[in-house]
Structures are given as C-alpha cells and as structure tokens.
Amino acid sequence: MDSKNIQKNAMQKSAEFTFTPPPEAPIFEPTAEEFMDPLGYIAKIRPVAEKTGICKIKPPARWQPPFSLDVDKLKFVPRIQKVNELEAITRLKLLFLEKILKFWELQGSPLKIPMIENKTLDLYCLKFWVDEEGGFENCNNPKKWRKIANTMGYSQSTITMNFLKSNYEKILLPYEIFEKSKADILKTVKKAETKTEIKDDNETGKQLFKEISIESITKLRNENVTNEKPHTSIKKAKTGSDIKPDHDSGKIKMDFEEIKRNRELRKLACYGPGPKMPGLNDEEFDITKSRKRPRYDLDPLAIYICAICQKDHRDDLLLICNGCSDTYHTFCLKPPLSVVPDGDWRCPCCIAQEVHKPAEAFGFAQAEREYTLQQFGEMADKFKSDYFGMSGHLVPTNVAEKEFWRIISSVEEDVTVEYGADLHSMDHGSGFPTKSSLNLYPGDQEYVDSGWNLNNLPVLDGSVLRFINADISGMTVPWMYVGMCFSAFCWHNEDHWSYSINYLHWGEAKTWYGVPGNGAELLENAMKAAAPDLFKSQPDLLHQLVTIMNPNILMAAGVPIYRTDQHAGEFVVTFPRAYHAGFNQGYNFAEAVNFAPPDWLKIGRDCIMHYKNLKRFCVFSHDELICKMALEGDRLDLDTALETQKELVHATEEEGRLRALIAKNGLKNVRRTAFELLGDDERLCEICKTTCFLSSLSCDDCKHMACLQHAISEEFCQCALNKKTLFYRYDMDELHIMLQTIDFRVNSFDKWMTETKNILLPTAPDIGRLQKLKLLVDEAEELKIPKCTLLTQLKEEYTKATDNVEPIVIELDDD
C-alpha cells in the first residue's frame, strides 16, 4: 500500500472507532530442566518466537521468586500521560485544532467547535477530505459533499452535507485563505515604511522631527483615552482630525517653538516615552526608520494609515493590532472582515507568528507528587474502579483493551494517568532478591543465583553484554515500572536492537503488541505515511518513545502485529529490532532488562550502520565490545567465539581499507590513543555521531573529529591535510594478531568438540577410551572451555568409565 492510501485508510479508521485484536503471540512453558538454562531455552524457541517479535514464557509452577522491595519505603515521582495525546493521528488533530482556535481567537472571534450527530465536528478530517476532492472551490456539487460525509462516518442526508459545507466555509476557509495569502501580506507589510516628517519654515528643504516632552504626550494620551468611546469604534485611539484644538494643544505648539529655538533644550529632547537620550541630533537618530514603533509615540497628531494599502481614508474601518499596534483596513485583509471583532484583534503578522510558532517536542511531564508503592496503588485502584464503575479486577482484559484504544483515538476524551516508568534498580533496589538484599530467607538463595533473575541474565555466560564494563541502566542493569490502568509504553525497539526481557512481579495484566524485526521498516514507513506532518516536524519521533498508533491502522498497511496479555509471574521476551508497545490493565509492578546472545552480534553491527545513517548516538561502541571479547577469548564458548571471529574479520577488513585510503590521500600524522579512557562525548564522529574506538581523524584547526568513513567525505572539514591526525587504538599488525588468536581459539574449540562428540557416540571403540576421555577433560580445562552441555556429558562419561575400571583393578591384585 502506498503512502497516500495508508494516510487515507488511517483517516477513515479514525473517523469511526473500531478495534479488532491482533492475533496472539506464542506462549512457551519450559520444563524444569529446560528452565535451568535461560539463554539456551531462548535460543531454542527463537526460530518460532522471532517471527512474531514477542513471546510469553510461563515459568514452572514452583518458580516463585519473592518480591524484595519494601512497599512502604520505595518512593518515586511518576510521569503524567494524557492518553489521547499519545496517538499519532489524534495528536495531529489536536495540534490542528489548537491552530484553528488560536487563529480565530486572535481575530477577536473566539470559536466554538460545532457538534454533529452528537459528537464534535472533526475539522482535521474535514479539511483532509476536502483537500482530497481538490479543495473547497472544486466541491461544488452535492455528490462530493455526500462522499465527504460518508468517508467521515456521518450520515449522507442533505442537512449533514449542508452542515459540513457551511462550517467549512465559515471556519476553515478563512484560515485557508489566510494561509495562502500570508506570504503576500507579510511581504507587503514588510516593505511599508511609515515616515513622520514636517518641514521647518525657517529652514527650507531641511526635514525635522517634532520633538515632544514626555509630560505633553502623557497628558494628551490620558485625554484621548478619556474621550474614547468604549469599544464602539474599531480604532483603539482617536488622533489627527478627530482631536479638536484647545488650550493645551496650543501650549504644545509653543513648546515645539521653544525647543527648536533653544539648542540645549533640543539636545536634551526626548522622543516619546522612555529615558532621555541627550546629544542626539536629527541626522544621527532617525526614529521614523523603526516601523514597529507605534505612531502615537512619534506624533500624537498623526493619522493612522493601513499597513497594506498605505492610505489613511475610511478611519471608521481601520483596525489597530493589539500585538504590534499596526493598523489595517478591514477590507484590505485576506480574507476581509465583514464585521468588527468583539474581542482583541491581531494583525496577519502577529497571527502568523503565533499560529506557526514551532511546536515543542512532545514529551511526558513529571508529576508534582511523590508516591510510595502503597499510595500509588490506592490512587490507581480508585481510578480504575471509578472509571468502569466496578471493582478493577472484575473488568475483563478485552473490555479494558477496547476502551484504551477508543480513548486513544478520540480528541474529546481527556483521560490523564500516571506511570512510574524507568525506575533505576541501582537507585531503588530490584524486585528480585540479590546478594545485597536484606532479610533473605534460606529458600531465597535459589532466586539470588537464578539465571532468570534479571540482575543476572545480562551477564550470564553466553551473553556478550557481560564484556561491557560500565553498568548501563536499563540495558545491563534492570529498570522497574509501576503501572496503572491505561498507562502506556509507546512503539519502540531496543537500543542496539538487542533482546529484552520483562518480568511482571505482581498486579494486573500488561497488554503487549509486537512486530517482528523483519517488519520494523514496514511499521516505520506506515507510521510516517499515516501521520506525515508529525514526522516532518520531528523526524526522530519513533526514537522518543512518546508515540503510539492503533494496531488496526498499521495492520491495514501490511504490518504484521501480534498481541499477548502478560500476567503476574510471567516473562515477555522481545527479539532483535522487534517493535513493541502496550499498556497496563491496572496497578502492577514490572522489571525489565536487555541481553544479547552471540547471534545478536551481526544484528548489532547492522544497527550501528543504521544509527550512522540516522545520526543517532550509540549507547556503547560495537567495535570496542568486539575487541574486548577477542582479547578475552578464553572466556568465550564456541558459539560466541565463532560470531566474534566473523565480526573481527569484518572490522579488520573495513579498517584496513579506510586507513589505506587515507594514507593514499597523503595523511602523515598518526598517533596511538586509548579511546576507552575517553568519555563517549569526547570521541563522537562530527558527522554521524557514532562512538569511535578503532580510529578517528581529528583536525587541529577546527577541532572536529570524524570516524574514518566520514573523514574522507565532503561533509567533514576541508582544512589542510597537514593539520589532521589519524588516531588509532591498534595498528593493523595488532588487529591481525588479535584475529589469529581468535582463529586459534575457534579451531581448538572445533577440534575439541569434534573429538568429544565422537568419543561420546555409542559406536565409539572401547580400546583406549578411558585415556581419551581423560585427555579431552584435561584439554577442556587447558582451553578454559566454559560450562556447556557437551562438557557436562564428557565429565559424566569419564566418571562412569572410571567407576567401571576400579573393580577390575582390585580383582587382578587379588589373583
């Protein structure tokens, strides 16, 4: 489906709410034995589960870890979520509505949105469908208005069609005309320069300013305000021919004459209100060149002129802007005003500036109140029971799910909830028991050491994230989430496209939606097509975790989506690059973390290339991780060593190619540096924002730094080559030695594995078998082969063989 059809479909679905739940994601129930090896089990279910992006894992019934946090001591400040602002299309509608309301309010005619068929008229959709029909001018027959009414979900009666047409003409058409003519009006007004000059009879041909004392202007202003009719005239203040001569005005003229005769007084003259500016003469300070200064600051006797036509006729139809004090004829405006506005009025310049003020990046505000878990739970339970009119736990999950998406899609529903999201376990502690937990019971140690404890999973043997020294909160160290009904997490995938795992400690269900990794680009394109204006202003919107969209809209665009309800005591796993979103059915407590088995390494490199194109910051350096793993090869199992070998081959080849290219260009300055000792912000590529590790190019003149890929591009600085230095972590010989080391490790592994599998076969010969088993066990220790199933089988077979040999030895001795 192309972008335009996706957008049309999204508009149609947003007109009349419907929600059909996506198909269910797979659910897995490991046996007690399978549950012993978390990464091994996830690798086993991966071929099935990665096709849906998410899956649910139910632990064996006996696995019930205690909740280790003190409910009364944990305190947090939640985020505030206005539920319908989360949805992309609803947010677009709200932003458009805000512009329309502001436009009419600044025109002095506050707008009340009309109702149609017991709901608010959808002005955004109305404009969209009229534009689709070629604009208002082309909608000149009932057939087109009938089609528009139908696509908007309204009845096709004559009354409805006339209602849509008249309200478009009354509300949207003036805004449309203003938008089209805005540039011309601004151009016309900008060119207009109002001059207030008089000639002095005594100095022929010389232009002078009228210099007026502050007291005279203040007095005259006060009189004008007193004489002004309260809002019966469309002019803010009467000037010029409307002011009748009197004794005070004669006195002002005398003041002028005296000032002009006295040079010292003239030097001290003040031009309108404000501090005195002595020493300025006519030639040095031409105040008339400031168009924005109100004319009555220059000359209270001047006549207002229209900023568009530059004429002063028809005083009765001149409007003065409450923002900048410029004046306009009602008939010079586009569209012209047929009636005098009741409220304060703003000119086209001020309206354009206000209506088109760049929208602030959407995000969640922090609540003002700090909660304990118990206080938050009381608030959350009350909210749900009040909302549904029954006890919260009695509300079926499918009812809450449909209501969530109904609220999400409505501009009228003003539902606000709070979400205790991204609570750092380093600050608050973890819901799982750990070695530092207080008051541990004897049975708790099993859960302290368990691989399914989310504090352990990222650093298990077989997870490559254990080679990252830093504690990355949320990635290698768990985050916790305290939810309430309708609190939501928006569409996103994990940093570096890693795996993630979420455990629901207790409380009501959490509803999830997932898209497999191979559908990630489909989702991104569908969301951008359905709400193009939103992504135009914020291209990286999907990285902000603040936007959701109805799964049905995405599914209609061909995006594969699956759902699941996660209940207390269950895990949900998301796979690499899988987008996921969801909401909480009620008060609950969850904990989540990332992990990365060896199969992630290639995906992680692809992600870095993707981040480079997006100019998105990395959480860590992928090359640094690979080199660290290669240097600590004795800690790698075979699968990890094989994947590390592939990644290091790729990195070495690419590094060699780029360094050779830079050397060919004539670069001579080369220096070694320890990138890992630098802060991430000190080793960022100026162009793509990637974190450099193997090398970078720096310029002494402009102080810019770039990765080698962009150091040779035109985007990088064009300073002289002798001002640039290549910084490297390892020279090419060291990288090749590193590669040989990991090759030897892999080959040794491969040889040991092949021999071990052969000796464990039932058909293996008995002659010399014991000695061969012992040799392989010793070799495993020498190679520092990590604990794995094959090593366990080898040791068991060796023990069994040794036990069988001993009795035979004893019998021979007796003889």
Side-chain angles (χ1 to χ4, degrees), residues 611-612 614-617 680-692 695-699 702-711 713-718:
Y611 281 5
K612 276 174 170 275
L614 295 176
K615 299 183 179 180
R616 181 180 171 182
F617 295 101
D680 283 359
D681 57 339
E682 297 178 83
R683 47 175 171 146
L684 288 179
C685 172
E686 191 76 23
I687 312 302
C688 66
K689 309 304 178 189
T690 199
T691 305
C692 298
S695 58
S696 71
L697 193 72
S698 292
C699 178
C702 61
K703 307 301 180 187
H704 287 177
M705 174 189 284
C707 65
L708 296 198
Q709 182 183 340
H710 290 107
S713 72
E714 293 181 0
E715 295 176 84
F716 192 50
C717 77
Q718 300 302 308

Short mmCIF file of all heavy atoms in Angstrom, two decimals, residues 611-612 614-617 680-692 695-699 702-711 713-718:
data_model
loop_
_atom_site.label_atom_id
_atom_site.label_comp_id
_atom_site.label_asym_id
_atom_site.label_seq_id
_atom_site.Cartn_x
_atom_site.Cartn_y
_atom_site.Cartn_z
N TYR A 611 22.18 3.44 12.73
CA TYR A 611 22.34 4.64 13.59
C TYR A 611 23.19 5.70 12.89
O TYR A 611 22.93 6.89 13.01
CB TYR A 611 23.00 4.26 14.92
CG TYR A 611 22.06 3.62 15.93
CD1 TYR A 611 20.75 3.32 15.62
CD2 TYR A 611 22.51 3.34 17.23
CE1 TYR A 611 19.91 2.73 16.56
CE2 TYR A 611 21.67 2.76 18.17
CZ TYR A 611 20.37 2.45 17.84
OH TYR A 611 19.53 1.89 18.77
N LYS A 612 24.22 5.26 12.17
CA LYS A 612 25.09 6.21 11.45
C LYS A 612 24.26 7.01 10.43
O LYS A 612 24.41 8.23 10.32
CB LYS A 612 26.21 5.46 10.71
CG LYS A 612 27.45 5.13 11.55
CD LYS A 612 28.41 4.27 10.72
CE LYS A 612 29.75 4.11 11.42
NZ LYS A 612 30.66 5.22 11.14
N LEU A 614 21.12 7.60 10.55
CA LEU A 614 20.16 8.46 11.25
C LEU A 614 20.86 9.54 12.08
O LEU A 614 20.20 10.43 12.62
CB LEU A 614 19.29 7.61 12.20
CG LEU A 614 18.36 6.59 11.56
CD1 LEU A 614 17.66 5.78 12.64
CD2 LEU A 614 17.34 7.26 10.66
N LYS A 615 22.20 9.44 12.22
CA LYS A 615 22.98 10.33 13.07
C LYS A 615 22.49 10.25 14.52
O LYS A 615 22.30 11.25 15.21
CB LYS A 615 22.93 11.78 12.56
CG LYS A 615 23.49 11.91 11.16
CD LYS A 615 23.51 13.34 10.67
CE LYS A 615 24.11 13.40 9.27
NZ LYS A 615 24.15 14.75 8.72
N ARG A 616 22.28 9.02 14.94
CA ARG A 616 21.79 8.75 16.29
C ARG A 616 22.94 8.28 17.18
O ARG A 616 23.80 7.50 16.75
CB ARG A 616 20.69 7.69 16.25
CG ARG A 616 20.10 7.38 17.62
CD ARG A 616 19.01 6.33 17.56
NE ARG A 616 18.64 5.94 18.90
CZ ARG A 616 17.74 5.01 19.19
NH1 ARG A 616 17.11 4.39 18.21
NH2 ARG A 616 17.45 4.69 20.44
N PHE A 617 22.95 8.74 18.43
CA PHE A 617 24.02 8.37 19.36
C PHE A 617 23.95 6.88 19.71
O PHE A 617 22.86 6.30 19.82
CB PHE A 617 23.92 9.19 20.65
CG PHE A 617 24.14 10.65 20.44
CD1 PHE A 617 23.07 11.54 20.38
CD2 PHE A 617 25.41 11.17 20.30
CE1 PHE A 617 23.26 12.89 20.19
CE2 PHE A 617 25.63 12.52 20.11
CZ PHE A 617 24.55 13.38 20.05
N ASP A 680 32.45 9.17 26.19
CA ASP A 680 31.79 8.98 24.89
C ASP A 680 31.62 10.29 24.13
O ASP A 680 31.74 10.32 22.90
CB ASP A 680 30.41 8.32 25.08
CG ASP A 680 30.53 6.83 25.37
OD1 ASP A 680 31.67 6.33 25.39
OD2 ASP A 680 29.50 6.17 25.57
N ASP A 681 31.38 11.39 24.84
CA ASP A 681 31.18 12.67 24.16
C ASP A 681 32.49 13.23 23.62
O ASP A 681 32.49 14.17 22.81
CB ASP A 681 30.53 13.68 25.11
CG ASP A 681 31.33 13.89 26.38
OD1 ASP A 681 32.14 13.01 26.72
OD2 ASP A 681 31.14 14.93 27.04
N GLU A 682 33.64 12.65 24.03
CA GLU A 682 34.94 13.11 23.53
C GLU A 682 35.40 12.34 22.31
O GLU A 682 36.43 12.65 21.73
CB GLU A 682 35.99 12.96 24.64
CG GLU A 682 35.74 13.82 25.87
CD GLU A 682 36.80 13.58 26.94
OE1 GLU A 682 37.86 14.19 26.84
OE2 GLU A 682 36.56 12.75 27.85
N ARG A 683 34.66 11.32 21.91
CA ARG A 683 35.07 10.52 20.75
C ARG A 683 33.91 10.27 19.79
O ARG A 683 33.75 9.18 19.24
CB ARG A 683 35.70 9.20 21.20
CG ARG A 683 34.91 8.43 22.27
CD ARG A 683 35.56 7.10 22.55
NE ARG A 683 34.99 6.40 23.69
CZ ARG A 683 34.90 5.07 23.76
NH1 ARG A 683 35.30 4.33 22.76
NH2 ARG A 683 34.38 4.51 24.83
N LEU A 684 33.09 11.30 19.61
CA LEU A 684 31.95 11.21 18.70
C LEU A 684 32.33 11.71 17.32
O LEU A 684 33.01 12.72 17.18
CB LEU A 684 30.78 12.06 19.21
CG LEU A 684 30.02 11.57 20.45
CD1 LEU A 684 28.94 12.56 20.79
CD2 LEU A 684 29.42 10.19 20.20
N CYS A 685 31.88 11.00 16.31
CA CYS A 685 32.06 11.49 14.94
C CYS A 685 31.20 12.72 14.73
O CYS A 685 30.01 12.72 15.06
CB CYS A 685 31.67 10.40 13.94
SG CYS A 685 31.63 10.98 12.23
N GLU A 686 31.79 13.76 14.20
CA GLU A 686 31.10 15.03 13.97
C GLU A 686 29.93 14.85 13.00
O GLU A 686 28.92 15.54 13.11
CB GLU A 686 32.08 16.05 13.38
CG GLU A 686 31.58 17.46 13.34
CD GLU A 686 31.60 18.13 14.70
OE1 GLU A 686 32.37 17.69 15.57
OE2 GLU A 686 30.84 19.09 14.89
N ILE A 687 30.05 13.89 12.09
CA ILE A 687 29.05 13.72 11.03
C ILE A 687 27.92 12.78 11.44
O ILE A 687 26.75 13.13 11.39
CB ILE A 687 29.69 13.20 9.72
CG1 ILE A 687 30.96 14.01 9.37
CG2 ILE A 687 28.68 13.21 8.58
CD1 ILE A 687 30.71 15.48 9.19
N CYS A 688 28.28 11.55 11.86
CA CYS A 688 27.24 10.54 12.10
C CYS A 688 26.97 10.27 13.57
O CYS A 688 26.09 9.47 13.90
CB CYS A 688 27.61 9.23 11.40
SG CYS A 688 29.09 8.43 12.09
N LYS A 689 27.74 10.90 14.47
CA LYS A 689 27.54 10.78 15.92
C LYS A 689 27.87 9.40 16.49
O LYS A 689 27.53 9.09 17.63
CB LYS A 689 26.10 11.14 16.34
CG LYS A 689 25.60 12.47 15.81
CD LYS A 689 26.50 13.62 16.21
CE LYS A 689 26.04 14.95 15.63
NZ LYS A 689 27.02 16.03 15.84
N THR A 690 28.54 8.54 15.69
CA THR A 690 28.92 7.24 16.21
C THR A 690 30.07 7.38 17.21
O THR A 690 30.81 8.37 17.19
CB THR A 690 29.32 6.29 15.06
OG1 THR A 690 29.25 4.95 15.52
CG2 THR A 690 30.73 6.57 14.57
N THR A 691 30.22 6.40 18.09
CA THR A 691 31.29 6.42 19.09
C THR A 691 32.52 5.73 18.52
O THR A 691 32.50 4.54 18.22
CB THR A 691 30.84 5.68 20.38
OG1 THR A 691 29.61 6.26 20.83
CG2 THR A 691 31.88 5.80 21.46
N CYS A 692 33.61 6.48 18.33
CA CYS A 692 34.82 5.94 17.71
C CYS A 692 35.61 5.07 18.70
O CYS A 692 35.66 5.36 19.89
CB CYS A 692 35.72 7.09 17.22
SG CYS A 692 34.93 8.12 15.95
N SER A 695 39.58 3.87 15.45
CA SER A 695 40.33 5.01 14.90
C SER A 695 39.41 6.20 14.74
O SER A 695 38.18 6.08 14.80
CB SER A 695 40.92 4.64 13.52
OG SER A 695 39.87 4.26 12.65
N SER A 696 40.03 7.36 14.52
CA SER A 696 39.29 8.58 14.18
C SER A 696 40.26 9.56 13.53
O SER A 696 41.48 9.40 13.65
CB SER A 696 38.66 9.22 15.42
OG SER A 696 39.67 9.79 16.24
N LEU A 697 39.72 10.54 12.86
CA LEU A 697 40.54 11.59 12.26
C LEU A 697 40.17 12.92 12.92
O LEU A 697 39.00 13.27 12.97
CB LEU A 697 40.31 11.67 10.75
CG LEU A 697 41.33 12.51 9.98
CD1 LEU A 697 42.67 11.79 9.90
CD2 LEU A 697 40.82 12.81 8.58
N SER A 698 41.17 13.64 13.44
CA SER A 698 40.91 14.90 14.12
C SER A 698 41.64 16.04 13.42
O SER A 698 42.73 15.85 12.88
CB SER A 698 41.38 14.83 15.58
OG SER A 698 40.57 13.93 16.30
N CYS A 699 41.01 17.21 13.45
CA CYS A 699 41.60 18.40 12.83
C CYS A 699 42.08 19.35 13.91
O CYS A 699 41.30 19.72 14.80
CB CYS A 699 40.56 19.08 11.92
SG CYS A 699 41.18 20.60 11.16
N CYS A 702 40.06 23.20 13.31
CA CYS A 702 38.65 23.39 13.69
C CYS A 702 38.23 22.50 14.84
O CYS A 702 37.08 22.57 15.29
CB CYS A 702 37.73 23.18 12.49
SG CYS A 702 37.82 21.52 11.79
N LYS A 703 39.14 21.64 15.32
CA LYS A 703 38.90 20.78 16.48
C LYS A 703 37.79 19.75 16.24
O LYS A 703 37.20 19.24 17.19
CB LYS A 703 38.56 21.61 17.73
CG LYS A 703 39.55 22.71 18.06
CD LYS A 703 40.95 22.16 18.29
CE LYS A 703 41.94 23.27 18.63
NZ LYS A 703 43.33 22.76 18.70
N HIS A 704 37.48 19.45 14.99
CA HIS A 704 36.45 18.47 14.69
C HIS A 704 37.05 17.08 14.62
O HIS A 704 38.23 16.90 14.33
CB HIS A 704 35.76 18.81 13.37
CG HIS A 704 34.86 19.99 13.46
ND1 HIS A 704 34.17 20.52 12.39
CD2 HIS A 704 34.51 20.75 14.53
CE1 HIS A 704 33.46 21.56 12.78
NE2 HIS A 704 33.66 21.72 14.07
N MET A 705 36.19 16.07 14.87
CA MET A 705 36.61 14.68 14.82
C MET A 705 35.61 13.90 13.99
O MET A 705 34.42 14.18 14.01
CB MET A 705 36.68 14.09 16.24
CG MET A 705 36.98 12.59 16.29
SD MET A 705 36.80 11.89 17.95
CE MET A 705 38.30 12.48 18.71
N ALA A 706 36.09 12.89 13.25
CA ALA A 706 35.19 12.07 12.45
C ALA A 706 35.68 10.64 12.43
O ALA A 706 36.88 10.37 12.58
CB ALA A 706 35.08 12.61 11.03
N CYS A 707 34.75 9.70 12.27
CA CYS A 707 35.14 8.31 12.02
C CYS A 707 35.77 8.26 10.62
O CYS A 707 35.56 9.18 9.82
CB CYS A 707 33.92 7.39 12.11
SG CYS A 707 32.68 7.69 10.82
N LEU A 708 36.51 7.22 10.33
CA LEU A 708 37.23 7.18 9.06
C LEU A 708 36.28 7.16 7.86
O LEU A 708 36.60 7.65 6.79
CB LEU A 708 38.16 5.96 9.00
CG LEU A 708 39.31 5.92 10.02
CD1 LEU A 708 40.39 4.95 9.58
CD2 LEU A 708 39.92 7.31 10.24
N GLN A 709 35.11 6.58 8.05
CA GLN A 709 34.13 6.52 6.97
C GLN A 709 33.74 7.93 6.51
O GLN A 709 33.58 8.19 5.32
CB GLN A 709 32.89 5.75 7.44
CG GLN A 709 31.84 5.60 6.34
CD GLN A 709 30.59 4.91 6.86
OE1 GLN A 709 30.62 4.23 7.88
NE2 GLN A 709 29.49 5.08 6.15
N HIS A 710 33.62 8.86 7.46
CA HIS A 710 33.21 10.22 7.11
C HIS A 710 34.39 11.20 7.04
O HIS A 710 34.22 12.33 6.59
CB HIS A 710 32.17 10.73 8.12
CG HIS A 710 30.85 10.04 7.98
ND1 HIS A 710 30.40 9.11 8.88
CD2 HIS A 710 29.90 10.12 7.02
CE1 HIS A 710 29.22 8.66 8.49
NE2 HIS A 710 28.89 9.26 7.37
N ALA A 711 35.56 10.75 7.48
CA ALA A 711 36.75 11.62 7.40
C ALA A 711 37.12 11.90 5.95
O ALA A 711 37.72 12.93 5.64
CB ALA A 711 37.91 10.97 8.13
N SER A 713 34.85 12.06 3.53
CA SER A 713 33.69 12.61 2.82
C SER A 713 33.76 14.13 2.78
O SER A 713 34.50 14.77 3.54
CB SER A 713 32.39 12.18 3.52
OG SER A 713 32.24 12.88 4.74
N GLU A 714 32.98 14.73 1.90
CA GLU A 714 32.96 16.19 1.76
C GLU A 714 32.27 16.86 2.95
O GLU A 714 32.40 18.06 3.13
CB GLU A 714 32.25 16.58 0.46
CG GLU A 714 33.02 16.17 -0.79
CD GLU A 714 32.31 16.60 -2.06
OE1 GLU A 714 31.23 17.22 -1.95
OE2 GLU A 714 32.84 16.32 -3.15
N GLU A 715 31.54 16.06 3.74
CA GLU A 715 30.84 16.63 4.90
C GLU A 715 31.82 17.07 5.98
O GLU A 715 31.52 17.95 6.77
CB GLU A 715 29.86 15.60 5.48
CG GLU A 715 28.72 15.24 4.56
CD GLU A 715 27.84 14.16 5.15
OE1 GLU A 715 26.94 14.49 5.95
OE2 GLU A 715 28.07 12.97 4.84
N PHE A 716 32.99 16.40 6.04
CA PHE A 716 33.98 16.74 7.06
C PHE A 716 34.71 18.02 6.65
O PHE A 716 34.64 18.45 5.51
CB PHE A 716 34.94 15.58 7.25
CG PHE A 716 35.82 15.70 8.48
CD1 PHE A 716 35.26 15.97 9.71
CD2 PHE A 716 37.19 15.55 8.39
CE1 PHE A 716 36.05 16.09 10.85
CE2 PHE A 716 37.99 15.66 9.52
CZ PHE A 716 37.42 15.93 10.75
N CYS A 717 35.43 18.61 7.60
CA CYS A 717 36.10 19.89 7.35
C CYS A 717 37.10 19.79 6.19
O CYS A 717 37.68 18.73 5.94
CB CYS A 717 36.81 20.36 8.62
SG CYS A 717 38.35 19.50 8.97
N GLN A 718 37.30 20.89 5.49
CA GLN A 718 38.18 20.93 4.33
C GLN A 718 39.53 21.59 4.65
O GLN A 718 40.18 22.14 3.78
CB GLN A 718 37.49 21.69 3.19
CG GLN A 718 36.17 21.08 2.74
CD GLN A 718 36.31 19.63 2.28
OE1 GLN A 718 37.16 19.33 1.45
NE2 GLN A 718 35.49 18.74 2.86
#
